[in-house]
Amino acid sequence: MNLFNKKASGILNPWSFLETEFNYREVSAWKDFVRIDQSFIRLAFFLHFLVYFLALIPEIQNSPNGTIYFGLILSLNLLSLVLSFQRKYLPAVIHGTNFSIIFLVMLILNESFYTFDDLHSLQLYNNYFLLVGFLVLFQMFRLKVKGCFLTATYSIVLHLGFIYFKLKNGPLPGFPLVLFVPDVVYLILSLIGTTIVVIVRRLVRISSELDSEYRFLQHELQIARKVQETLFPEDISIKGFKYEVFRSTPNEIGGDFYDFIQLREGNTGVFLTDIAGHGIASALVASFIKIMVATMPYRLKLHPVRLLEYLDETLLRQFKSHHASAVYIFFDFISKEIHFANGGHPYLMHSQNGNDFREIETTGSILGFGIKRPIAELVSLPIASGERLFLYTDGLIENRNPQGKQLGSEGLIEILNRNKSFTDLKQFKEAVQTELSAFFRDVEFEDDTLFLIIEME
């Protein structure tokens, strides 16, 4: 019952019907001329009711056959509306109906107004024929190059025919030039309509080409995303700590990246970087850094500061226009210590023995500029069971909610501390995500965003 009411209201409501009928969001729809013709006929059916406003003119009200002519116009439009639901012979339906309606409108005007005795009255009555020009210009909605011109042609022929028979034995000698004003208007409107059609069709062609290129690029980006996904570490079990990760990118690929580096004697390195910007270029640089970290000399992986300096020098040499922030943590399970260095990255957040999270403030410069040596300070902490480390990229704290407010590092710490009581790491991550969603609401992250939670066993 509700479905029936919904359909009925759509048919009875012209705005709802038109919104459904003329939904041309896909570029391919603008190239389906059969569908456009169907839509044209249905739009013409709604607009043809404007013709009946002619009945408000006193001269037409006195026309002996006006009611019959208006009835024929309504019948023709109803017939064309019915025929619009099939896909054959639509151009013939359109031009046949259009020709007949123009003929009937001119016939009404001819019978009602062409009773003149002087040039002034002739000019006044002749101006009503300019109304047919709207039917000429309306043909441009079909997006057919010859549509307006063809309509203008038979409008001119019909008008000249009525003039000829009316003035053949009329009160005025010859054919005054003022009689040809409607024909000139028809011709001008056909040129305007044809020009608009040519421009629109050209824009549709360009849009179609751009749409094809966009689809191709989207396909390529999806492939690139799958390739980039292989660069991230798999969901593996690492002896010594547990972890949870969250990633989001506004594009198919991005420049935020993390990796686990398996070292000898059970030690592990954790590397996290944020390439400036986002998109394809950042993703390529991130992939390059992944290869650099994997292939650099082993001794550098044991010293966070040296590792960052190596990346800094390589980026400066290879990518002078790109830079990155990064943090590298070396978990030394032999000496029970955590060593890390921060190269211009947001401060690492640390919680020990279930206490509040706090930022570990460090000094360090962005990679890729060669600003200073050493590039960052080395920070060491003893490994304690249950302590948590929270690493993230700046997209998390710099994104704005619907009110335009950034989360900021202070807001992030507040969220972490409100949920620190969750002993299960997965539940802790889900609680943090829930609060982040409540803060940002429906606003998507504008920049690449990543956070990594590590809990020592």
Side-chain angles (χ1 to χ4, degrees), residues 39-140:
S39 299
F40 175 85
I41 294 174
R42 293 160 194 170
L43 178 61
F45 174 77
F46 281 105
L47 294 183
H48 98 276
F49 288 99
L50 296 175
V51 173
Y52 303 130
F53 282 100
L54 291 173
L56 299 177
I57 302 174
E59 288 82 356
I60 292 182
Q61 291 176 356
N62 298 326
S63 173
N65 300 315
T67 303
I68 297 175
Y69 298 150
F70 282 127
L72 289 174
I73 291 174
L74 177 60
S75 300
L76 286 169
N77 276 282
L78 285 172
L79 178 61
S80 64
L81 178 64
V82 173
L83 293 175
S84 72
F85 290 94
Q86 53 87 41
R87 295 178 63 90
K88 293 183 178 180
Y89 314 117
L90 290 177
V93 171
I94 291 173
H95 284 293
T97 302
N98 210 37
F99 177 87
S100 301
I101 290 175
I102 291 175
F103 174 77
L104 290 170
V105 170
M106 287 187 176
L107 190 59
I108 294 172
L109 296 174
N110 185 66
E111 289 187 358
S112 303
F113 294 120
Y114 268 84
T115 56
F116 45 81
D117 299 321
D118 54 35
L119 189 60
H120 175 73
S121 59
L122 171 63
Q123 182 178 357
L124 178 63
Y125 299 145
N126 190 59
N127 286 342
Y128 282 101
F129 278 81
L130 296 175
L131 297 174
V132 176
F134 289 104
L135 298 177
V136 175
L137 190 61
F138 183 65
Q139 282 288 319
M140 70 180 181

Side-chain angles (χ1 to χ4, degrees), residues 58-234:
E59 288 82 356
I60 292 182
Q61 291 176 356
N62 298 326
S63 173
N65 300 315
T67 303
I68 297 175
Y69 298 150
F70 282 127
L72 289 174
I73 291 174
L74 177 60
S75 300
L76 286 169
N77 276 282
L78 285 172
L79 178 61
S80 64
L81 178 64
V82 173
L83 293 175
S84 72
F85 290 94
Q86 53 87 41
R87 295 178 63 90
K88 293 183 178 180
Y89 314 117
L90 290 177
V93 171
I94 291 173
H95 284 293
T97 302
N98 210 37
F99 177 87
S100 301
I101 290 175
I102 291 175
F103 174 77
L104 290 170
V105 170
M106 287 187 176
L107 190 59
I108 294 172
L109 296 174
N110 185 66
E111 289 187 358
S112 303
F113 294 120
Y114 268 84
T115 56
F116 45 81
D117 299 321
D118 54 35
L119 189 60
H120 175 73
S121 59
L122 171 63
Q123 182 178 357
L124 178 63
Y125 299 145
N126 190 59
N127 286 342
Y128 282 101
F129 278 81
L130 296 175
L131 297 174
V132 176
F134 289 104
L135 298 177
V136 175
L137 190 61
F138 183 65
Q139 282 288 319
M140 70 180 181
F141 289 102
R142 293 185 61 211
L143 297 184
K144 298 289 182 65
V145 175
K146 298 180 180 179
C148 291
F149 179 76
L150 182 59
T151 305
T153 299
Y154 54 69
S155 297
I156 292 172
V157 171
L158 287 173
H159 181 245
L160 292 178
F162 279 111
I163 290 176
Y164 175 77
F165 286 106
K166 197 67 178 178
L167 295 183
K168 187 175 181 180
N169 299 311
L172 294 178
F175 293 89
L177 292 178
V178 69
L179 288 172
F180 300 100
V181 170
D183 305 307
V184 175
V185 172
Y186 300 158
L187 184 60
I188 292 175
L189 290 178
S190 71
L191 293 175
I192 294 174
T194 302
T195 302
I196 293 174
V197 169
V198 171
I199 293 174
V200 171
R201 288 180 64 124
R202 184 170 299 175
L203 290 175
V204 169
R205 185 174 68 253
I206 294 173
S207 297
S208 178
E209 294 172 357
L210 291 176
D211 184 65
S212 299
E213 293 180 5
Y214 173 77
R215 293 178 184 276
F216 173 76
L217 290 175
Q218 285 296 109
H219 177 69
E220 294 297 304
L221 285 174
Q222 290 175 3
I223 296 176
R225 182 183 181 89
K226 293 179 181 179
V227 173
Q228 190 185 40
E229 288 292 330
T230 63
L231 300 179
F232 286 91
E234 298 179 355

Side-chain angles (χ1 to χ4, degrees), residues 368-382:
F369 289 130
I371 296 175
K372 66 175 185 176
R373 291 292 181 273
I375 194 171
E377 66 174 307
L378 180 67
V379 178
S380 300
L381 300 171

Side-chain angles (χ1 to χ4, degrees), residues 242-261:
K242 296 180 291 184
Y243 71 93
E244 291 288 339
V245 66
F246 168 84
R247 290 192 295 122
S248 174
T249 176
N251 303 306
E252 293 291 340
I253 55 179
D256 288 2
F257 178 77
Y258 77 98
D259 198 8
F260 298 126
I261 303 169

Side-chain angles (χ1 to χ4, degrees), residues 290-350:
K290 157 74 174 181
I291 297 172
M292 281 197 296
V293 173
T295 58
M296 67 173 53
Y298 180 81
R299 66 181 183 278
L300 299 180
K301 300 175 184 179
L302 307 179
H303 301 281
V305 175
R306 294 181 185 175
L307 181 143
L308 294 182
E309 287 180 344
Y310 178 84
L311 294 178
D312 179 46
E313 293 171 356
T314 307
L315 283 176
L316 180 62
R317 185 173 61 253
Q318 299 289 342
F319 299 96
K320 294 183 179 181
S321 60
H322 287 84
H323 57 277
S325 64
V327 59
Y328 180 68
I329 308 175
F330 171 51
F331 292 92
D332 190 341
F333 294 109
I334 304 300
S335 63
K336 304 290 185 181
E337 287 184 311
I338 299 173
H339 307 284
F340 74 91
N342 186 338
H345 203 74
Y347 295 143
L348 184 149
M349 295 184 178
H350 178 243

